[in-house]
Amino acid sequence: MRARVRKKLAKKFGERAHRPFNEKTGTQIAPRAQPVVNRRPAVSKVVVVTSGKGGVGKTTTSANVATGIALTGKKTVAIDFDVGLRNLDLVMGCERRVVYDFVNVIRGEAKLNTALIRDKRIDTLHVLPASQTRDKDALDPDGVGRVIAELKDMGFEYIICDSPAGIERGAQMAMYYADEAIVVTNPEVSSVRDSDRILGLLASKTLRAEKGNGGVKEHLLLTRYSARRVATGEMMSVEDVKEILGLDVIGVVPESQDVLTASNAGVPVIFNDESDAAHAYDDAVARLLGETLPLRFIEEPKKGFFARLFGG
Protein backbone atom coordinates (compact mmCIF):
# COMPACT_ATOMS: atom_id res chain seq x y z
CA MET A 1 0.00 0.00 0.00
CA ARG A 2 2.81 2.45 0.82
CA ALA A 3 4.33 2.04 -2.63
CA ARG A 4 0.95 2.62 -4.28
CA VAL A 5 0.30 5.75 -2.20
CA ARG A 6 3.76 7.09 -3.08
CA LYS A 7 3.16 6.32 -6.79
CA LYS A 8 -0.27 7.97 -6.75
CA LEU A 9 1.04 11.08 -5.01
CA ALA A 10 3.93 11.33 -7.46
CA LYS A 11 1.60 10.97 -10.43
CA LYS A 12 -0.89 13.56 -9.19
CA PHE A 13 1.33 16.08 -7.44
CA GLY A 14 4.70 16.00 -9.20
CA GLU A 15 7.36 17.79 -7.15
CA ARG A 16 5.19 18.01 -4.05
CA ALA A 17 5.32 14.21 -3.82
CA HIS A 18 9.07 14.34 -3.11
CA ARG A 19 8.63 15.67 0.40
CA PRO A 20 10.21 13.43 3.08
CA PHE A 21 8.30 10.17 3.37
CA ASN A 22 7.81 8.31 6.65
CA GLU A 23 8.18 4.62 5.80
CA LYS A 24 6.89 3.56 9.21
CA THR A 25 3.53 5.30 8.87
CA GLY A 26 3.33 5.23 5.07
CA THR A 27 2.70 8.98 4.85
CA GLN A 28 4.49 12.10 3.76
CA ILE A 29 6.04 14.21 6.51
CA ALA A 30 3.89 17.32 6.63
CA PRO A 31 5.59 20.66 6.06
CA ARG A 32 5.55 23.31 8.77
CA ALA A 33 2.05 24.71 9.18
CA GLN A 34 1.41 27.88 7.22
CA PRO A 35 -1.08 30.60 8.17
CA VAL A 36 -4.43 30.22 6.45
CA VAL A 37 -4.98 32.74 3.69
CA ASN A 38 -8.58 33.89 3.54
CA ARG A 39 -8.94 33.93 -0.21
CA ARG A 40 -12.22 32.76 -1.68
CA PRO A 41 -11.72 30.69 -4.88
CA ALA A 42 -13.32 31.73 -8.16
CA VAL A 43 -15.55 28.66 -7.94
CA SER A 44 -16.41 26.96 -4.67
CA LYS A 45 -18.89 24.07 -4.84
CA VAL A 46 -20.84 22.40 -2.08
CA VAL A 47 -21.59 18.76 -2.95
CA VAL A 48 -23.84 16.63 -0.75
CA VAL A 49 -23.50 12.83 -0.81
CA THR A 50 -26.92 11.50 0.14
CA SER A 51 -29.42 8.64 -0.02
CA GLY A 52 -32.65 7.64 1.63
CA LYS A 53 -31.51 4.18 2.66
CA GLY A 54 -28.73 3.45 5.12
CA GLY A 55 -25.81 1.17 4.37
CA VAL A 56 -25.51 1.96 0.66
CA GLY A 57 -22.02 3.47 0.87
CA LYS A 58 -22.50 7.22 1.42
CA THR A 59 -19.59 7.67 3.80
CA THR A 60 -17.31 5.50 1.68
CA THR A 61 -18.32 7.55 -1.36
CA SER A 62 -17.78 10.84 0.48
CA ALA A 63 -14.28 9.76 1.53
CA ASN A 64 -13.29 8.56 -1.92
CA VAL A 65 -14.80 11.48 -3.85
CA ALA A 66 -13.16 14.01 -1.52
CA THR A 67 -9.84 12.19 -1.79
CA GLY A 68 -10.09 11.91 -5.56
CA ILE A 69 -10.81 15.63 -5.96
CA ALA A 70 -7.95 16.54 -3.60
CA LEU A 71 -5.60 14.35 -5.64
CA THR A 72 -6.20 16.67 -8.60
CA GLY A 73 -4.77 19.54 -6.52
CA LYS A 74 -8.07 21.18 -5.57
CA LYS A 75 -8.41 22.23 -1.94
CA THR A 76 -11.14 19.98 -0.55
CA VAL A 77 -12.90 19.42 2.76
CA ALA A 78 -15.24 16.60 3.77
CA ILE A 79 -17.80 17.39 6.49
CA ASP A 80 -19.48 14.64 8.49
CA PHE A 81 -23.13 15.59 9.09
CA ASP A 82 -24.01 12.32 10.83
CA VAL A 83 -24.12 13.80 14.34
CA GLY A 84 -24.17 11.06 16.97
CA LEU A 85 -22.94 8.34 14.60
CA ARG A 86 -19.58 9.69 13.45
CA ASN A 87 -17.86 7.44 10.88
CA LEU A 88 -16.18 9.59 8.23
CA ASP A 89 -13.09 10.01 10.43
CA LEU A 90 -12.73 6.22 10.61
CA VAL A 91 -12.90 5.73 6.85
CA MET A 92 -10.43 8.60 6.35
CA GLY A 93 -8.05 7.22 8.99
CA CYS A 94 -8.01 10.28 11.26
CA GLU A 95 -10.18 9.15 14.19
CA ARG A 96 -7.33 9.49 16.72
CA ARG A 97 -6.75 13.11 15.74
CA VAL A 98 -10.26 14.38 16.51
CA VAL A 99 -10.23 17.05 19.24
CA TYR A 100 -13.05 19.41 18.27
CA ASP A 101 -15.97 18.74 15.93
CA PHE A 102 -18.57 20.36 13.67
CA VAL A 103 -20.98 21.11 16.53
CA ASN A 104 -18.21 22.70 18.62
CA VAL A 105 -17.58 25.11 15.74
CA ILE A 106 -21.27 25.91 15.20
CA ARG A 107 -21.72 26.67 18.92
CA GLY A 108 -18.61 28.83 19.12
CA GLU A 109 -16.78 26.37 21.37
CA ALA A 110 -13.87 26.01 18.92
CA LYS A 111 -12.41 27.83 15.95
CA LEU A 112 -12.88 26.21 12.54
CA ASN A 113 -9.11 26.11 12.01
CA THR A 114 -8.75 24.12 15.23
CA ALA A 115 -11.44 21.56 14.36
CA LEU A 116 -10.28 20.90 10.79
CA ILE A 117 -8.03 17.85 10.39
CA ARG A 118 -5.57 17.89 7.52
CA ASP A 119 -5.05 14.54 5.81
CA LYS A 120 -1.52 13.18 6.29
CA ARG A 121 -1.36 11.82 2.75
CA ILE A 122 -2.62 14.83 0.78
CA ASP A 123 -2.08 18.41 1.90
CA THR A 124 -5.11 19.70 -0.05
CA LEU A 125 -7.55 17.44 1.84
CA HIS A 126 -9.20 18.21 5.20
CA VAL A 127 -11.91 16.60 7.35
CA LEU A 128 -14.42 18.27 9.69
CA PRO A 129 -15.69 15.45 11.95
CA ALA A 130 -19.13 15.11 13.47
CA SER A 131 -19.90 14.98 17.18
CA GLN A 132 -20.54 11.62 18.84
CA THR A 133 -22.15 13.12 21.94
CA ARG A 134 -24.83 15.43 20.50
CA ASP A 135 -28.01 14.80 18.54
CA LYS A 136 -28.96 16.07 15.09
CA ASP A 137 -30.90 19.00 16.58
CA ALA A 138 -27.50 20.54 17.34
CA LEU A 139 -27.33 21.54 13.67
CA ASP A 140 -29.20 24.63 12.52
CA PRO A 141 -29.31 26.31 9.09
CA ASP A 142 -27.65 29.54 10.24
CA GLY A 143 -24.80 27.74 11.98
CA VAL A 144 -24.19 25.39 9.06
CA GLY A 145 -24.30 28.35 6.67
CA ARG A 146 -21.69 30.26 8.70
CA VAL A 147 -19.31 27.30 8.66
CA ILE A 148 -19.70 26.75 4.91
CA ALA A 149 -19.17 30.46 4.22
CA GLU A 150 -16.01 30.42 6.32
CA LEU A 151 -14.72 27.33 4.49
CA LYS A 152 -15.22 29.15 1.19
CA ASP A 153 -13.34 32.15 2.55
CA MET A 154 -10.49 29.83 3.54
CA GLY A 155 -10.08 28.85 -0.11
CA PHE A 156 -11.79 25.46 -0.24
CA GLU A 157 -12.84 24.71 -3.81
CA TYR A 158 -14.95 21.64 -2.97
CA ILE A 159 -16.96 21.11 0.21
CA ILE A 160 -18.21 17.51 0.40
CA CYS A 161 -21.12 16.99 2.82
CA ASP A 162 -21.50 13.41 4.05
CA SER A 163 -25.20 13.11 4.85
CA PRO A 164 -26.79 10.75 7.36
CA ALA A 165 -29.34 8.29 6.00
CA GLY A 166 -33.03 9.09 5.88
CA ILE A 167 -35.04 12.23 5.33
CA GLU A 168 -34.93 13.81 8.78
CA ARG A 169 -33.21 16.96 10.05
CA GLY A 170 -29.61 15.78 9.68
CA ALA A 171 -30.07 14.86 6.02
CA GLN A 172 -31.89 18.12 5.30
CA MET A 173 -29.10 20.14 6.94
CA ALA A 174 -26.52 18.32 4.81
CA MET A 175 -28.30 19.15 1.55
CA TYR A 176 -29.60 22.64 2.35
CA TYR A 177 -26.62 24.62 1.00
CA ALA A 178 -25.70 22.16 -1.76
CA ASP A 179 -24.90 23.19 -5.31
CA GLU A 180 -24.71 19.57 -6.48
CA ALA A 181 -25.81 16.21 -5.08
CA ILE A 182 -24.48 12.70 -5.50
CA VAL A 183 -27.38 10.32 -4.81
CA VAL A 184 -25.93 6.96 -3.79
CA THR A 185 -28.02 3.87 -4.35
CA ASN A 186 -27.69 0.12 -4.60
CA PRO A 187 -29.34 -1.50 -7.63
CA GLU A 188 -32.21 -2.99 -5.65
CA VAL A 189 -35.83 -1.89 -5.32
CA SER A 190 -35.99 -0.49 -1.78
CA SER A 191 -32.82 1.54 -2.21
CA VAL A 192 -34.02 3.01 -5.50
CA ARG A 193 -37.43 3.88 -4.05
CA ASP A 194 -35.81 5.68 -1.09
CA SER A 195 -33.55 7.58 -3.49
CA ASP A 196 -36.64 8.86 -5.29
CA ARG A 197 -37.81 10.35 -1.98
CA ILE A 198 -34.45 12.12 -1.59
CA LEU A 199 -34.81 13.62 -5.06
CA GLY A 200 -38.07 15.17 -3.90
CA LEU A 201 -36.31 16.82 -0.95
CA LEU A 202 -33.50 18.10 -3.17
CA ALA A 203 -36.12 19.73 -5.38
CA SER A 204 -37.94 21.43 -2.50
CA LYS A 205 -35.89 21.66 0.73
CA THR A 206 -32.67 23.36 -0.37
CA LEU A 207 -31.61 26.99 -0.50
CA ARG A 208 -31.36 26.82 -4.28
CA ALA A 209 -34.91 25.48 -4.51
CA GLU A 210 -36.18 28.25 -2.24
CA LYS A 211 -34.50 30.93 -4.32
CA GLY A 212 -35.65 29.39 -7.59
CA ASN A 213 -32.24 29.67 -9.21
CA GLY A 214 -32.03 26.34 -11.01
CA GLY A 215 -32.02 23.93 -8.09
CA VAL A 216 -29.39 21.40 -7.11
CA LYS A 217 -27.60 19.55 -9.91
CA GLU A 218 -28.17 15.83 -9.26
CA HIS A 219 -25.91 12.89 -10.08
CA LEU A 220 -26.55 9.17 -9.55
CA LEU A 221 -23.89 6.79 -8.22
CA LEU A 222 -24.53 3.06 -8.10
CA THR A 223 -22.59 1.02 -5.56
CA ARG A 224 -22.17 -2.73 -4.98
CA TYR A 225 -23.01 -3.40 -8.60
CA SER A 226 -22.64 -6.96 -9.89
CA ALA A 227 -22.78 -7.43 -13.65
CA ARG A 228 -23.07 -11.18 -13.11
CA ARG A 229 -26.19 -10.81 -10.95
CA VAL A 230 -27.68 -8.32 -13.42
CA ALA A 231 -27.17 -10.88 -16.21
CA THR A 232 -29.07 -13.54 -14.22
CA GLY A 233 -31.91 -11.14 -13.36
CA GLU A 234 -31.08 -10.98 -9.63
CA MET A 235 -30.22 -7.27 -9.68
CA MET A 236 -31.48 -4.15 -11.43
CA SER A 237 -29.39 -2.92 -14.34
CA VAL A 238 -27.95 0.57 -14.75
CA GLU A 239 -30.60 1.33 -17.37
CA ASP A 240 -33.37 0.14 -15.03
CA VAL A 241 -32.26 2.53 -12.29
CA LYS A 242 -31.75 5.41 -14.71
CA GLU A 243 -35.26 4.93 -16.12
CA ILE A 244 -36.88 4.96 -12.67
CA LEU A 245 -34.97 7.93 -11.20
CA GLY A 246 -34.41 9.90 -14.39
CA LEU A 247 -30.80 10.78 -13.54
CA ASP A 248 -27.54 10.44 -15.42
CA VAL A 249 -25.12 8.01 -13.80
CA ILE A 250 -21.88 9.56 -12.62
CA GLY A 251 -20.35 6.24 -11.65
CA VAL A 252 -20.86 2.51 -11.15
CA VAL A 253 -18.81 0.99 -8.33
CA PRO A 254 -18.59 -2.80 -8.62
CA GLU A 255 -19.11 -5.10 -5.68
CA SER A 256 -15.65 -5.55 -4.18
CA GLN A 257 -14.04 -6.79 -0.98
CA ASP A 258 -11.41 -4.09 -1.53
CA VAL A 259 -13.88 -1.41 -0.37
CA LEU A 260 -14.46 -3.05 3.03
CA THR A 261 -10.77 -3.82 3.48
CA ALA A 262 -9.80 -0.22 2.72
CA SER A 263 -12.48 1.23 5.02
CA ASN A 264 -11.34 -0.97 7.90
CA ALA A 265 -7.76 0.18 7.32
CA GLY A 266 -8.73 3.86 7.25
CA VAL A 267 -7.36 4.28 3.73
CA PRO A 268 -9.84 5.25 0.98
CA VAL A 269 -9.93 2.52 -1.67
CA ILE A 270 -9.18 5.08 -4.40
CA PHE A 271 -5.50 4.76 -3.42
CA ASN A 272 -5.50 1.09 -4.51
CA ASP A 273 -4.50 1.21 -8.18
CA GLU A 274 -5.17 -2.52 -8.54
CA SER A 275 -8.84 -2.31 -7.53
CA ASP A 276 -11.76 -1.95 -9.94
CA ALA A 277 -13.62 -0.06 -7.21
CA ALA A 278 -10.79 2.49 -7.09
CA HIS A 279 -10.94 2.93 -10.86
CA ALA A 280 -14.71 3.39 -10.64
CA TYR A 281 -14.33 6.16 -8.05
CA ASP A 282 -11.58 7.75 -10.16
CA ASP A 283 -14.00 7.81 -13.10
CA ALA A 284 -16.80 9.27 -10.97
CA VAL A 285 -14.54 12.09 -9.76
CA ALA A 286 -13.45 12.85 -13.31
CA ARG A 287 -17.09 13.09 -14.44
CA LEU A 288 -17.95 15.29 -11.46
CA LEU A 289 -15.16 17.63 -12.56
CA GLY A 290 -16.54 17.80 -16.08
CA GLU A 291 -14.85 15.01 -18.04
CA THR A 292 -16.79 12.71 -20.36
CA LEU A 293 -15.93 9.05 -19.88
CA PRO A 294 -17.70 5.80 -20.83
CA LEU A 295 -19.12 3.75 -17.98
CA ARG A 296 -17.09 0.73 -16.96
CA PHE A 297 -17.86 -2.39 -14.90
CA ILE A 298 -21.47 -2.61 -16.11
CA GLU A 299 -21.06 -5.79 -18.17
CA GLU A 300 -19.78 -9.19 -17.14
CA PRO A 301 -16.30 -9.84 -18.61
CA LYS A 302 -16.39 -12.26 -21.50
CA LYS A 303 -14.82 -15.63 -20.85
CA GLY A 304 -11.78 -16.67 -22.84
CA PHE A 305 -11.73 -19.72 -25.09
CA PHE A 306 -10.28 -22.13 -22.52
CA ALA A 307 -12.57 -20.84 -19.78
CA ARG A 308 -15.58 -21.56 -22.02
CA LEU A 309 -14.16 -24.92 -23.06
CA PHE A 310 -13.46 -26.17 -19.54
CA GLY A 311 -16.27 -24.28 -17.75
CA GLY A 312 -13.92 -21.93 -15.85
Side-chain angles (χ1 to χ4, degrees):
M1 173 57 73
R2 294 172 190 163
R4 285 195 292 271
V5 171
R6 188 203 296 268
K7 179 180 176 183
K8 195 117 186 176
L9 286 166
K11 179 180 177 182
K12 297 284 187 179
F13 282 94
E15 291 301 319
R16 279 187 286 170
H18 298 297
R19 289 179 180 150
F21 195 83
N22 187 327
E23 294 290 347
K24 184 176 181 181
T25 63
T27 62
Q28 285 180 295
I29 297 174
R32 185 174 297 175
Q34 300 294 320
V36 174
V37 177
N38 290 336
R39 183 175 299 165
R40 187 178 285 238
V43 177
S44 184
K45 288 188 178 180
V46 180
V47 181
V48 62
V49 179
T50 185
S51 75
K53 192 173 187 294
V56 299
K58 285 186 304 301
T59 297
T60 298
T61 295
S62 296
N64 283 282
V65 167
T67 300
I69 294 173
L71 281 168
T72 69
K74 298 182 185 299
K75 192 174 180 182
T76 306
V77 60
I79 307 176
D80 192 345
F81 275 79
D82 201 356
V83 176
L85 295 172
R86 185 175 76 206
N87 281 312
L88 183 62
D89 57 312
L90 290 171
V91 178
M92 300 286 281
C94 61
E95 70 279 4
R96 295 183 181 180
R97 299 167 60 202
V98 176
V99 179
Y100 296 107
D101 57 55
F102 191 14
V103 175
N104 291 140
V105 176
I106 286 177
R107 296 195 170 183
E109 299 163 354
K111 297 291 186 182
L112 182 56
N113 270 346
T114 308
L116 283 173
I117 301 171
R118 188 174 67 177
D119 190 270
K120 290 184 176 181
R121 295 158 294 221
I122 313 169
D123 59 7
T124 52
L125 178 61
H126 293 71
V127 177
L128 182 56
S131 172
Q132 282 186 305
T133 59
R134 312 288 181 95
D135 59 40
K136 292 176 175 59
D137 289 335
L139 300 179
D140 66 89
D142 290 341
V144 172
R146 287 194 302 272
V147 172
I148 288 177
E150 189 173 348
L151 289 168
K152 290 180 178 180
D153 286 337
M154 291 170 67
F156 285 99
E157 297 171 81
Y158 276 86
I159 300 168
I160 308 300
C161 302
D162 180 28
S163 172
I167 60 175
E168 303 304 326
R169 184 177 181 82
Q172 292 185 30
M173 288 296 97
M175 70 174 63
Y176 187 72
Y177 291 97
D179 301 305
E180 300 190 26
I182 298 175
V183 180
V184 183
T185 186
N186 296 153
E188 50 97 10
V189 174
S190 63
S191 180
V192 173
R193 183 178 64 181
D194 289 350
S195 294
D196 185 58
R197 182 73 178 93
I198 287 294
L199 293 178
L201 292 179
L202 288 168
S204 61
K205 300 293 184 180
T206 64
L207 183 61
R208 280 181 164 265
E210 290 175 2
K211 290 187 173 181
N213 59 354
V216 176
K217 185 177 181 180
E218 301 155 344
H219 311 279
L220 181 63
L221 181 82
L222 271 68
T223 55
R224 296 176 184 157
Y225 192 85
S226 170
R228 178 188 60 78
R229 293 177 64 193
V230 170
T232 59
E234 301 173 46
M235 181 177 282
M236 299 173 72
S237 70
V238 173
E239 291 303 319
D240 291 336
V241 180
K242 283 177 63 177
E243 183 178 351
I244 293 170
L245 296 179
L247 292 183
D248 289 331
V249 177
I250 198 174
V252 177
V253 182
E255 207 166 31
S256 173
Q257 180 63 32
D258 295 335
V259 176
L260 179 60
T261 301
S263 294
N264 287 339
V267 180
V269 73
I270 200 168
F271 280 117
N272 185 351
D273 285 333
E274 299 175 4
S275 170
D276 285 348
H279 297 157
Y281 276 120
D282 266 330
D283 288 355
V285 168
R287 295 187 191 100
L288 183 67
L289 298 181
E291 293 186 39
T292 301
L293 298 173
L295 287 175
R296 296 192 279 174
F297 315 115
I298 61 174
E299 294 182 357
E300 191 173 10
K302 294 182 179 179
K303 293 182 179 180
F305 172 75
F306 289 104
R308 295 197 304 272
L309 184 63
F310 295 106

